[in-house]
Amino acid sequence: MATRRNSTDDPLAPLTLAVGQEDLLLDRAVQQVVAAARAADADTDVRDLTPDQLQPGTLAELTSPSLFAERKVVVVRNAQDLGADTVKDVKKYLGDPVEEIILVLLHAGGAKGKGLLDAARKAGAREVACPKTTKPAERLSFVRGEFRALGRSATPEACQALVDAIGSDLRELASAVSQLVADIEGTIDEAVVGRYYTGRAEASSFTVADRAVEGRAAEALEALRWSLSTGVAPVLITSALAQGVRAIGKLSSARGGRPADLARELGMPPWKIDRVRQQMRGWTPDGVAVALRAVAEADAGVKGGGDDPEYALEKAVVAVAGAARAGRGQR
């Protein structure tokens, strides 16, 4: 039979390959295909399978021609874990796809199962990237994209506040954006995010870091204890402290200029340049060095180098706040 051509942007392409480890994005890739298929044919049959459900011969059964030529979507999750015989079945199918059937392969990427990944790409699969978001900047970009996709405007400060409040879970971030869009008219700003997520924002690791680098030891310790009590991982707090102190050091050693110019030079968004400038008062190069050592010691402590991670964090917060006040005296 003639091989159908895959469009890189057509969810009805005969083969979609979703690659990555971000569950929300993988699920969205599947939902997009299913929605498109059911828009074309409301009676589309969807089979969503895990590797243990796709045994040798199963794919052939699912894709065998039907008297009624029904449209079908076959989803294979964790394709990198398929057995050798089943991989052979999939590769054979890729060489001779069936009309009215859409195959969706979800693959984690990497070396495991790379042969199947390469075969799907060679077959002209429509590929959807679903990478794990590991950096704060990536989560910030995700939130901005969610607002844009919903046709709404949010200030940079609001997006950052939401990331600080919710954390790294993309599902929760997407849900929070949807709630704000549904409930709020007009531009969404930091004050709105604060009203909705005050408790979580105050418990975030970045709030602990902000209060510490501003020299507000009591408030930083209060935020730290609340953060730990609500389940924030200690390692996220040391990471936030390190980022806060490093930002102070980078900006203090940079040449003067407009926020936009400094943003390009230092790799920070302009709004963060303004925030760090406000936090810099009282900091000295020696203070930055002292604070970084304190954070490094805390990081070792929370990763198994000490008996009491909470004490290690409290000690670091006090040290960072003390370094922030060194050049200006107590508040």
Side-chain angles (χ1 to χ4, degrees):
M1 63 177 289
T3 300
R4 293 171 294 168
R5 295 184 62 184
N6 280 322
S7 169
T8 58
D9 58 358
D10 182 7
L12 292 178
L15 174 60
T16 287
L17 178 63
V19 184
Q21 300 179 41
E22 185 54 66
D23 290 340
L24 173 66
L25 301 183
L26 290 168
D27 285 345
R28 284 184 173 181
V30 173
Q31 291 164 7
Q32 183 188 31
V33 171
V34 171
R38 285 185 167 157
D41 181 353
D43 295 325
T44 295
D45 182 23
V46 178
R47 303 296 179 92
D48 198 324
L49 306 169
T50 56
D52 61 307
Q53 296 173 310
L54 195 65
Q55 300 299 318
T58 303
L59 183 63
E61 293 177 10
L62 291 172
T63 57
S64 59
S66 167
L67 290 175
F68 304 102
E70 64 178 351
R71 186 184 296 273
K72 185 181 294 184
V73 176
V74 178
V75 180
V76 180
R77 296 183 182 271
N78 299 312
Q80 72 279 357
D81 295 330
L82 291 173
D85 289 338
T86 304
V87 168
K88 290 180 182 178
D89 287 350
V90 176
K91 288 182 177 179
K92 180 180 179 182
Y93 175 83
L94 295 179
D96 189 16
V98 178
E99 288 289 345
E100 300 302 320
I101 290 181
I102 300 172
L103 179 62
V104 184
L105 298 177
L106 276 55
H107 195 292
K112 187 176 183 182
K114 189 173 184 298
L116 179 57
L117 190 64
D118 291 342
R121 285 169 171 161
K122 186 176 180 180
R126 164 184 175 262
E127 188 165 339
V128 181
C130 305
K132 197 76 174 175
T133 55
T134 58
K135 300 177 181 178
E138 293 172 343
R139 292 190 283 275
L140 185 60
S141 177
F142 172 79
V143 167
R144 289 171 175 163
E146 290 292 290
F147 280 117
R148 284 196 300 270
L150 294 173
R152 293 296 298 278
S153 175
T155 67
E157 293 81 4
C159 294
Q160 183 64 55
L162 196 60
V163 171
D164 290 350
I166 301 300
S168 61
D169 191 311
L170 289 198
R171 290 187 190 278
E172 291 193 23
L173 285 169
S175 177
V177 169
S178 296
Q179 180 181 1
L180 289 169
V181 167
D183 293 353
I184 304 298
E185 296 182 359
T187 299
I188 295 166
D189 59 20
E190 188 175 13
V192 168
V193 174
R195 287 200 303 271
Y196 271 70
Y197 299 100
T198 297
R200 298 190 67 160
E202 288 176 355
S204 78
S205 54
F206 289 100
T207 298
V208 177
D210 283 342
R211 299 297 86 79
V213 299
E214 290 163 4
R216 297 152 67 176
E219 294 178 39
L221 288 171
E222 181 181 1
L224 170 64
R225 289 164 189 148
W226 181 257
S227 184
L228 292 171
S229 73
T230 56
V232 176
V235 68
L236 295 179
I237 298 173
T238 56
S239 175
L241 284 168
Q243 289 182 49
V245 175
R246 290 193 190 111
I248 295 287
K250 288 168 69 174
L251 190 55
S252 62
S253 62
R255 297 177 179 178
R258 297 177 303 171
D261 296 331
L262 288 171
R264 286 191 293 271
E265 180 183 343
L266 302 179
M268 298 181 192
W271 66 263
K272 188 170 184 179
I273 296 290
D274 292 334
R275 175 179 290 182
V276 176
R277 273 179 167 168
Q278 295 172 9
Q279 295 172 334
M280 280 174 52
R281 188 169 63 86
W283 279 95
T284 65
D286 287 343
V288 171
V290 167
L292 286 175
R293 284 197 296 272
V295 174
E297 290 174 3
D299 189 56
V302 303
K303 291 179 178 176
D307 297 327
D308 190 342
E310 291 188 14
Y311 172 72
L313 285 169
E314 289 182 357
K315 185 177 177 182
V317 164
V318 171
V320 171
R325 295 193 305 267
R328 62 176 184 248
Q330 298 287 333
R331 283 195 170 190

